[in-house]
Amino acid sequence: MSFNAFSQFLEKYPGYKGTTAIDLLRKKEYQILDSEGHIYLDYTGGGLFASSQLKAHHDLLSKNVFGNPHSYSPTSHHATKLVESARRYVLDYFNASPEEYVCIFTQNASGALKIVGESYPFGDGCRYVLIFDNHNSVNGIREYANAKGANVQYIPVVLPDLRVDESALFEELGSTERGCYNLFAYPAQSNFSGVQHPLGWIEKAQALGWHVILDAAAFTPTNTLNLSKWKPDFVPLSFYKMFGYPTGVGALLARKAAINKLHRAWFAGGTTTVTSVRGKKYYPADAPACFEDGTVDYLNIPAVEIGLRHLQSIDMEKIHTRVISLTGWLLEELIALKHTNGTPLVKMYGPLTTNDRGGTITLNFIDTSGELIRKDLLEKEANKRNISIRMGFFCNPGAGEIALDISTDELASCFSRPLYSDRLTDIDFQQCIDPKATGAVRVSVGLVSNFADVQAFIAFAKTFLD
């Protein structure tokens, strides 16, 4: 690592000096990164866990006996106590009053969104509005809306920053069908471009008669979400994105006034108080139990509280400052790279400054003739250097289609081919719309990223000059 480069970095981003405690934390709790030579730059894909998280969870499991919570035995009571403690801690972490919000444990953020989609009271003429910049788990709710006769409308994001035209958005939100339930969904932070969409939209949309889904999966790992100030109706979360472990546990934080509008078309073990076969009747439990199908992951849920306590011990403001500092430097350095004929090495998709953005950067590499450098080549070379980055559309086709200028006509031409009437693989799609359909390169910094990590990626990028 160049001392001169680090000095220049600190001069531009002096706040980074206040995050040195994270460097010490990395040496103590995340030592495998440096001992094994990993350059981990896929924090939007998944967070990393600390060794102390594993130890605390292992100690808990090895020193206790836990039983299925759906009983009143001593082991069941012990498990229930820890699950409910984690539930309370999640609400407390997000400053969500238990009088106003309920925490429903799910498999992940996608599972949380499926609960809303399958249970929301869409009807004929009701509306589901979402922006182009959404994860596929949010896009998927449109199938439930369509099936119930609701109208689905997408609001595009606009180049070059991939932000929404607010006037267009609120013109659309200003139109609702009376007597209908209407749902609006958007991410607090894009998992494609890192854009942070305004949290102020929540209250404005609700005032116009909309329930609001705020997808917080990409936002919460490096930002504070205060649910006493911002009050979306539904907040899906994946905890592994925040602190790495456990995987397979997420949550839906839902306002009680909104969750009471949801109706499920089925029931499962644990979701009812009484079910009768002969009587052909069942009585649903109250939330959260009525949405937690079967037995919750009672051995892993206590690790959620361990992970949240770990984040709190570091301080989210410190994490945010570090991430934004590294993101700013990475943007500036990559933008400055040019081939000898003056052609820029990279094409960025999204904001070029740190204003209202997170630590996710999406780009493509360009050769001297202005053509995209193949993703398979980029990935192969990154893997040789033990650099973990991500390629593709990142389950966010709307932002990707606008960023890479994949038109409606191109998509229609591809999808209408008889060969692809029932099945279309990603390879097929690339052959339909090559080379744009290969997507982009995503680099994301997070909790324990450091200057050496971003410098390693910059050095990797320079190998593609000329």
Side-chain angles (χ1 to χ4, degrees), residues 9-300:
F9 167 68
L10 292 179
E11 187 175 341
K12 286 190 174 183
Y13 299 97
Y16 187 86
K17 296 176 183 177
T19 72
T20 53
I22 296 178
D23 291 311
L24 300 177
L25 181 75
R26 175 168 169 150
K27 290 180 181 179
K28 179 182 178 183
E29 300 273 16
Y30 301 83
Q31 60 267 49
I32 194 169
L33 283 172
D34 297 315
S35 65
E36 297 294 327
H38 286 287
I39 308 300
Y40 188 78
L41 294 170
D42 190 25
Y43 284 87
T44 301
L48 300 180
F49 56 80
S51 57
S52 62
Q53 288 174 251
L54 292 186
K55 183 178 186 305
H57 191 217
H58 177 266
D59 289 348
L60 181 70
L61 297 180
S62 63
K63 296 176 182 178
N64 294 278
V65 179
F66 299 107
N68 188 316
H70 293 158
S71 184
Y72 298 99
S73 69
T75 53
S76 295
H77 176 73
H78 198 178
T80 299
K81 184 178 178 181
L82 288 180
V83 168
E84 295 310 310
S85 175
R87 199 187 305 278
R88 288 191 299 272
Y89 207 88
V90 170
L91 291 175
D92 182 66
Y93 180 87
F94 291 103
N95 208 12
S97 167
E99 302 301 314
E100 187 172 13
Y101 278 91
V102 62
C103 171
I104 299 163
F105 285 119
T106 64
Q107 185 179 8
N108 44 37
S110 296
L113 287 159
K114 186 172 185 288
I115 288 174
V116 179
E118 69 183 5
S119 308
Y120 193 78
F122 292 115
D124 287 338
C126 298
R127 307 194 66 206
Y128 179 42
V129 169
L130 61 166
I131 66 174
F132 267 59
D133 185 10
N134 264 305
H135 191 276
N136 266 341
S137 299
V138 179
N139 290 325
I141 293 175
R142 75 189 186 198
E143 300 307 307
Y144 290 111
N146 285 328
K148 294 179 180 179
N151 297 318
V152 177
Q153 180 66 46
Y154 277 94
I155 307 299
V157 289
V158 181
L159 293 169
D161 282 5
L162 298 178
R163 298 188 190 276
V164 172
D165 179 343
E166 289 197 30
S167 62
L169 171 64
F170 283 97
E171 180 179 351
E172 198 64 47
L173 293 180
S175 174
T176 57
E177 188 72 23
R178 297 184 67 178
C180 259
Y181 290 105
N182 303 287
L183 186 60
F184 169 50
Y186 75 100
Q189 179 175 311
S190 171
N191 76 316
F192 185 92
S193 65
V195 165
Q196 292 183 343
H197 300 288
L199 297 180
W201 290 352
I202 299 166
E203 186 175 3
K204 290 179 180 179
Q206 289 168 335
L208 293 170
W210 295 78
H211 286 123
V212 178
I213 296 175
L214 182 75
D215 181 0
F219 182 81
T220 52
T222 59
N223 298 273
T224 298
L225 180 61
N226 182 352
L227 294 182
S228 69
K229 180 178 181 181
W230 312 108
K231 299 187 177 184
D233 298 285
F234 306 106
V235 183
L237 300 165
S238 284
F239 293 114
Y240 76 93
K241 289 185 182 290
M242 296 177 68
F243 41 78
Y245 177 87
T247 56
V249 182
L252 174 65
L253 306 185
R255 292 181 78 181
K256 291 182 176 180
I259 203 76
N260 289 337
K261 306 295 184 187
L262 303 189
H263 175 72
R264 306 191 80 187
W266 83 306
F267 61 89
T271 67
T272 66
T273 56
V274 175
T275 305
S276 172
V277 174
R278 283 181 167 172
K280 298 180 181 179
K281 190 173 178 64
Y282 73 94
Y283 293 84
D286 292 331
C290 62
F291 295 102
E292 293 178 339
D293 299 333
T295 301
V296 296
D297 192 354
Y298 61 91
L299 293 182
N300 275 325

Side-chain angles (χ1 to χ4, degrees), residues 374-390:
R374 295 195 340 256
K375 305 299 178 302
D376 58 340
L377 173 61
L378 292 166
E379 195 161 41
K380 179 181 177 181
E381 293 303 313
N383 291 348
K384 284 181 182 178
R385 293 163 173 77
N386 221 10
I387 298 175
S388 294
I389 50 179
R390 192 164 290 253

